[in-house]
Amino acid sequence: KLFVNPWIALFTTILFATQPLLFGHAFMNTKDIPMLAVFLMTVTTGFYIDRHKRWNEGIDAKIDMKRLFHQWRAYLSSLSRTTLAIFAVLIALLVLISILKPVLVELFPQIITTAYTDAQSTWGVLLRRAATNLESTPLDAYINKGIKNLVRLLNATSALLFLSLLTYSIVIFRKGYKQFPQDLQSKSVLHTIVLHLKNPILITVGLMAGFAISTRIVAIFAAGIVILYLLSTYRKKSLIPVGIYAVFAAFAAYISWPIFWRYGLAAIQRALTLFSDFDPYIGYIHFEGEIYRETEIPSSYLPKLLSLQFTEPLVVLCILGFAIWIGSLLINRKCPSPQVKLLLVFLWFALPFAYVVIANPIMYNNFRQFIFITPPFFVFAAYAVQFMHDHLRNRVILPLALLLVLIPGILNIVSLHPYQYIYYNQFAGGVRGAFRDFDQDYLFLAMKEGIEYINEIAPEGAQIMIWDVEYPQAIFYNRPDIYINRVTHVSEDEYLAYQYAVIPTIRNVDQRIPQS
């Protein structure tokens, strides 16, 4: 709705909801769809920050920095050395604890291990004085309890120091603010901050961004898009609301993400490292008829899958909308607010896309980890529809054409149920054409259906062979009397021990297993 007519926005939302790939993932993907949702939430709500009437009051407020600087310098110079020293010590202690927390958390297991195993050491003596049932309690229990108590102590100390610093700062600055002339108070930074704090959208959106970051760390990028929008649109006038937005986001992220409680600010670096260099998966990728290791996929992997796993009309409309947008920028050579937002929507897709193509990070299960970059496709598709609406004289043709655009997605959602996420469009020859050339049921959802079929036909006490798969959850649907064995290798003679076998076709596994 920021870029197109409401009814075109409604059509685009329906187009989004009827993509078989997204529809299928929405019912069984507990990681990547929530990441898409919080990313979309953060960017969208961020673009509405400046829609509230309080926004203009804060932006239009005048700040006399020169007079404020001289006034504060005079006031701070009048403070006693003791006051300044207390302020400095509180800050230094808070920073010191933040730096030392991850170090102490890493070292503490070694200290407890030494204390537990070496009774003669200083730590050993202290532990034996504090613990009466040392011999009957395992080392892991002491380590877990010790780390938990250490984290609680450090968090409590940090909170106490922060509250002390905040209270002390308020007292000092309130006293100085009251000494300002009346006309200067209305031109102060504090006055502008108060005006922006009266904007409920700014506070709410900041809290939502923090919650998004605690859900998936990549939402920091979404918050960055919002900040870039404010800075590019309002320049230095946006510095104060950007600061408020960041503070509320940080507060919400800290409260709702327990990793911060243990590692402090180092949690951001840990989470970003894991996201950018994720390697818990040792397996293979099936792409264009070839089998690759997850570390060796070609640069065309993501571009190809993006063009094959969405409906054909969406792919065409997205490319058309992008071309129209580029053409309008070249012709007009201006960048009003909607165009700034559209540029940032493009960056939402383009930057992660470029990272994948250039850096070639580990990917698997097609591109599910990067589903969050797909909403811009629909924005540019809407842009193309809006262009056609503005230039077509016949008002009947376009609605009929848009209904036809929805048909491929709806038909495939029905026909592929409940495996919509294996969808490939006709550029790949459809689902049948993609078989043996691309990964399809890579989360092995069909295993449940296979086990349920065996439950109906297998005799009591049957022995079932399940060829080893990465996601064996489906085996928990078997009858209690059926024995399931996960195997990675089986000879022809060993087949005699099993009544039934469940073998996936992904990556052509079934063609590499001995037949009997």
Side-chain angles (χ1 to χ4, degrees), residues 125-194:
V125 173
L126 292 175
L127 179 62
R128 279 156 180 77
R129 288 180 179 178
T132 56
N133 57 343
L134 182 65
E135 303 300 331
S136 60
T137 306
L139 174 60
D140 288 344
Y142 278 107
I143 291 176
N144 293 332
K145 186 176 180 180
I147 292 177
K148 187 181 293 185
N149 289 333
L150 174 66
V151 170
R152 286 176 178 174
L153 176 62
L154 293 174
N155 286 339
T157 305
S158 297
L160 182 61
L161 286 171
F162 177 77
L163 290 175
S164 301
L165 180 62
L166 182 63
T167 304
Y168 201 61
S169 301
I170 291 173
V171 171
I172 292 174
F173 284 95
R174 187 169 180 269
K175 184 178 179 181
Y177 183 74
K178 284 187 174 182
Q179 296 178 11
F180 284 11
Q182 192 65 37
D183 66 311
L184 186 57
Q185 289 185 15
S186 63
K187 297 180 180 180
S188 66
V189 175
L190 180 61
H191 177 73
T192 304
I193 291 175
V194 171

Side-chain angles (χ1 to χ4, degrees), residues 381-436:
Y383 200 78
V385 175
Q386 183 69 59
F387 180 85
M388 290 185 284
H389 173 267
D390 295 340
H391 291 83
L392 283 176
R393 294 182 180 180
N394 191 324
R395 297 299 184 185
V396 179
I397 294 177
L398 186 59
L400 292 176
L402 295 183
L403 288 176
L404 294 175
V405 163
L406 297 175
I407 289 176
I410 295 172
L411 289 180
N412 279 281
I413 285 174
V414 174
S415 64
L416 293 176
H417 180 77
Y419 309 110
Q420 292 92 343
Y421 86 112
I422 70 171
Y423 172 78
Y424 283 83
N425 61 34
Q426 291 304 315
F427 299 145
V431 174
R432 291 183 182 275
F435 184 60
R436 301 291 186 196

Side-chain angles (χ1 to χ4, degrees), residues 98 101-102 105-106 258-267 270:
S98 298
K101 180 190 286 188
V105 169
E106 293 293 334
I259 193 175
F260 275 124
W261 309 346
R262 178 167 181 174
Y263 295 108
L265 294 178
R270 283 174 172 265

